[in-house]
Amino acid sequence: MNLAERDVSLRELMDDPDCDPRLLAATYRRFGLVNRLVAGWTGVYRRTLRPYLSGLGRPARVLDLGCGGGDVAAHLAALARADGLRVQWVGADPDPRAIEAAVARAASDVSFRCTGSDALRESGERFDAVLSNHVLHHLDTAELAAFVYDSAALSTGLVLHGDIERGRLAYALYGVGILPLAPGTFLRTDGLRSIRRSYRAAELASRLPEGWRVEHPARFRVLAVRDPRA
Ligand SMILES: C[S@@+](CC[C@H](N)C(=O)[O-])C[C@H]1O[C@@H](n2cnc3c(N)ncnc32)[C@H](O)[C@@H]1O
């Protein structure tokens, strides 16, 4: 397996509009556990998001762009609630199949909308923070630039885009580690394709405009950060 370069020719099974809806729904449900295990948002919340939100000293609104099945927004909402923070979490995704799955995770402080970053930006709505998980590797060069631009315009402060970092060890470990969770879902095929499509930190940094930096929040992870306070 050659992982020296991104393989942007690969398409994920769940991106096929004609994919099996039962497998897709099962995949969205199981992301709740898989993202918890691999995506590292608990650490990002504790180190970066929680201090930022509590520092605002008022209720906040946070947008999860490309929320998919909504599990990351729901997980962060649970963490913030437990900390006594008053935050409204909004998940947005232009794919109606994602929002259909996400609404099962809605709560009094978590809502979902079927819309993309461009339409939201054009609507003039603004949030205290914007984040995304596993969206960047999906996008082509022009889409990435637009997504990053939209996310910065949508936030009055912090923006955090978390993703996988491409690498042989990540590929090998995911290929084996996902086996118990993969049956009846697209998780194994799509996860491995995602790794092959994903960036290394320096590659991602070279695609971002001034004012952004790329961190390693956890093993096999990259985090694109725009923090106007920095
Ligand atoms: C692999 S999924 C990630 C879903 C979810 N964040 C997760 O971690 O499970 C990527 C999602 O990004 C969404 N997406 C792509 N371009 C977008 C845009 N410009 N604005 C909002 N969402 C977008 C897609 O519809 C897709 O649901």
Side-chain angles (χ1 to χ4, degrees):
M1 178 62 53
N2 179 13
L3 289 160
E5 291 182 2
R6 299 182 65 216
D7 189 343
V8 292
S9 68
L10 292 171
R11 188 175 187 224
E12 292 181 36
L13 299 176
M14 61 188 296
D15 289 339
D16 178 354
D18 297 322
C19 73
D20 184 327
R22 284 165 307 145
L23 293 183
L24 182 66
T27 303
Y28 281 131
R29 276 196 301 276
R30 212 156 299 164
F31 268 135
L33 178 57
V34 174
N35 277 331
R36 195 80 70 87
L37 292 173
V38 306
W41 280 98
T42 303
V44 173
Y45 168 79
R46 292 203 177 118
R47 280 188 306 276
T48 309
L49 205 45
R50 178 170 62 188
Y52 171 75
L53 294 172
S54 56
L56 293 176
R58 56 170 172 77
R61 286 200 327 140
V62 179
L63 174 67
D64 177 3
L65 259 187
C67 64
D71 57 281
V72 171
H75 174 54
L76 292 171
L79 294 174
R81 232 178 275 137
D83 285 332
L85 292 176
R86 285 171 300 157
V87 185
Q88 285 295 322
W89 302 84
V90 177
D93 200 298
D95 187 339
R97 305 169 309 165
I99 296 302
E100 204 176 305
V103 290
R105 293 186 164 110
S108 58
D109 53 354
V110 187
S111 59
F112 296 99
R113 298 189 203 166
C114 193
T115 183
S117 59
D118 48 354
L120 261 180
R121 175 182 52 74
E122 281 166 14
S123 75
E125 194 163 348
R126 298 294 176 260
F127 297 82
D128 295 296
V130 173
L131 59 90
S132 78
N133 184 60
H134 296 166
V135 179
L136 301 187
H137 72 261
H138 261 268
L139 309 174
D140 66 26
T141 304
E143 289 169 339
L144 176 73
F147 185 78
V148 167
Y149 174 81
D150 291 341
S151 66
L154 280 161
S155 176
T156 56
L158 194 60
V159 187
L160 303 168
H161 295 304
D163 211 339
I164 311 156
E165 183 169 49
R166 190 177 78 256
R168 299 178 76 84
L169 187 55
Y171 190 87
L173 290 176
Y174 184 84
V176 175
I178 199 64
L179 285 173
L181 298 172
T185 74
F186 297 130
L187 282 170
R188 190 164 189 277
T189 303
D190 281 1
L192 291 174
R193 289 183 183 181
S194 295
I195 295 171
R196 293 173 67 187
R197 281 192 64 98
S198 68
Y199 293 92
R200 294 201 169 132
E203 294 165 348
L204 180 56
S206 73
R207 303 279 179 104
L208 298 174
E210 211 173 305
W212 290 78
R213 64 177 191 273
V214 177
E215 298 179 353
H216 279 116
R219 196 93 199 268
F220 313 126
R221 300 293 301 175
V222 286
L223 185 71
V225 180
R226 194 212 61 165
D227 185 350
R229 302 162 307 159

